[in-house]
Amino acid sequence: MNNKILSKYNNGNTVVTIFEDGTKIREFEDGVKPFSDFPESIDIKLTNKCDLGCNFCHEKSNINGKHADLTQLINVLSDLPAGVELACGGGNALAHPMLGSFLHEAKQRGWICNLTVNQKHLERYHEQLDTYISNDLIKGLGISVTDSNMSEIEAKYGNNPNVVVHLIAGVHEHKIIDELIKYGFRKFLILGYKVFGNGVCYYNKNKSKIENNIKDWTMYLPLYFNK
């Protein structure tokens, strides 16, 4: 199967190529220090609204959180060239009423959008999410996993090669990877525990447990590299 090129552009003295499977290659002359004129990837928080109330949420997102003005956001980003990646999240980004319009506008401008969602929102928003995927509005999907026992709808995303499972060292047990591999998931992002936002209180109440969990990740994570 050919790995299709999504975008290729010049950034400073570097040629950047992004492939369909998420691979990114940067090329520059030998002996020359690479420099960039603009960011290749930007994290964007589309909303602070979320109904899950995770007690370790460093964003402190909640049901009263406000949505970002996405028209203003487009204007702020308007000078970015095609090929730049936008890592979109929240809060619950799928709850933003203008998300679809934003993704359409981003696609027209050639920006590559990736979206992060919580596993607990997949059941409720799967039709909306599947529409974004089928219409090629998002290229990569990050799933913040909470439970290795998945429903049929949740498990189907394991067959998508552009899905990345997000786990938190300090919160998730490392053995959750073994369970998720059974569903077909192959890409994992292990996030460091963030001691700010709601994470401060959660850390103070569970300090020993969190630190021991992080030690386990440090010990066992290399065992998964060859998988």
Side-chain angles (χ1 to χ4, degrees):
M1 180 178 177
N2 293 328
N3 195 3
K4 178 183 175 183
I5 293 178
L6 289 183
S7 185
K8 188 171 185 176
Y9 59 86
N10 293 320
N11 188 2
N13 64 349
T14 303
V15 178
V16 181
T17 306
I18 304 174
F19 293 87
E20 195 169 40
D21 68 351
T23 299
K24 178 181 287 187
I25 295 176
R26 300 178 182 89
E27 300 172 280
F28 49 90
E29 293 184 11
D30 289 340
V32 176
K33 184 176 180 179
F35 67 86
S36 302
D37 292 328
F38 52 85
E40 295 176 6
S41 180
I42 301 174
D43 282 346
I44 296 176
K45 183 175 181 178
L46 301 181
T47 181
N48 199 39
K49 188 178 184 67
C50 183
D51 60 354
L52 296 182
C54 298
N55 52 12
F56 50 81
C57 177
H58 66 279
E59 297 285 357
K60 300 181 75 171
S61 299
N62 57 73
I63 57 174
N64 297 314
K66 295 183 178 181
H67 295 312
D69 183 336
L70 299 189
T71 300
Q72 182 180 359
L73 178 59
I74 289 289
N75 291 334
V76 171
L77 301 175
S78 61
D79 289 337
L80 292 176
V84 170
E85 295 182 271
L86 304 180
C88 304
N92 175 17
L94 291 168
H96 199 302
M98 300 302 295
L99 176 60
S101 298
F102 174 81
L103 294 175
H104 275 286
E105 180 67 23
K107 181 180 179 180
Q108 290 180 352
R109 293 172 182 263
W111 302 331
I112 298 173
C113 286
N114 305 307
L115 186 68
T116 298
V117 303
N118 192 288
Q119 176 187 354
K120 293 181 179 179
H121 286 136
L122 290 178
E123 291 269 3
R124 192 187 323 168
Y125 294 94
H126 75 274
E127 292 182 356
Q128 177 183 343
L129 183 59
D130 290 348
T131 297
Y132 295 152
I133 294 174
S134 62
N135 289 334
D136 203 29
L137 297 181
I138 61 173
K139 296 294 187 181
L141 175 64
I143 300 179
S144 298
V145 165
T146 57
D147 191 343
S148 62
N149 296 316
M150 293 192 161
S151 68
E152 183 177 349
I153 287 177
E154 295 168 346
K156 74 174 184 178
Y157 293 103
N159 296 318
N160 187 325
N162 286 344
V163 167
V164 179
V165 171
H166 293 193
L167 302 170
I168 303 174
V171 176
H172 299 95
E173 299 291 336
H174 69 89
K175 292 182 287 187
I176 193 174
I177 291 182
D178 294 318
E179 298 301 317
L180 295 172
I181 284 175
K182 296 176 183 178
Y183 294 108
F185 294 102
R186 288 296 181 271
K187 296 179 180 179
F188 299 88
L189 174 62
I190 313 304
L191 301 163
Y193 188 89
K194 298 177 178 64
V195 190
F196 52 90
N198 292 350
V200 175
C201 183
Y202 185 81
Y203 180 81
N204 290 337
K205 291 180 179 179
N206 302 277
K207 181 178 179 180
S208 178
K209 180 180 178 180
I210 291 171
E211 292 185 349
N212 287 333
N213 178 277
I214 293 173
K215 289 178 182 177
D216 284 345
W217 274 105
T218 303
M219 181 182 302
Y220 290 104
L221 186 59
L223 300 179
Y224 294 99
F225 289 168
N226 64 353
K227 298 184 179 183

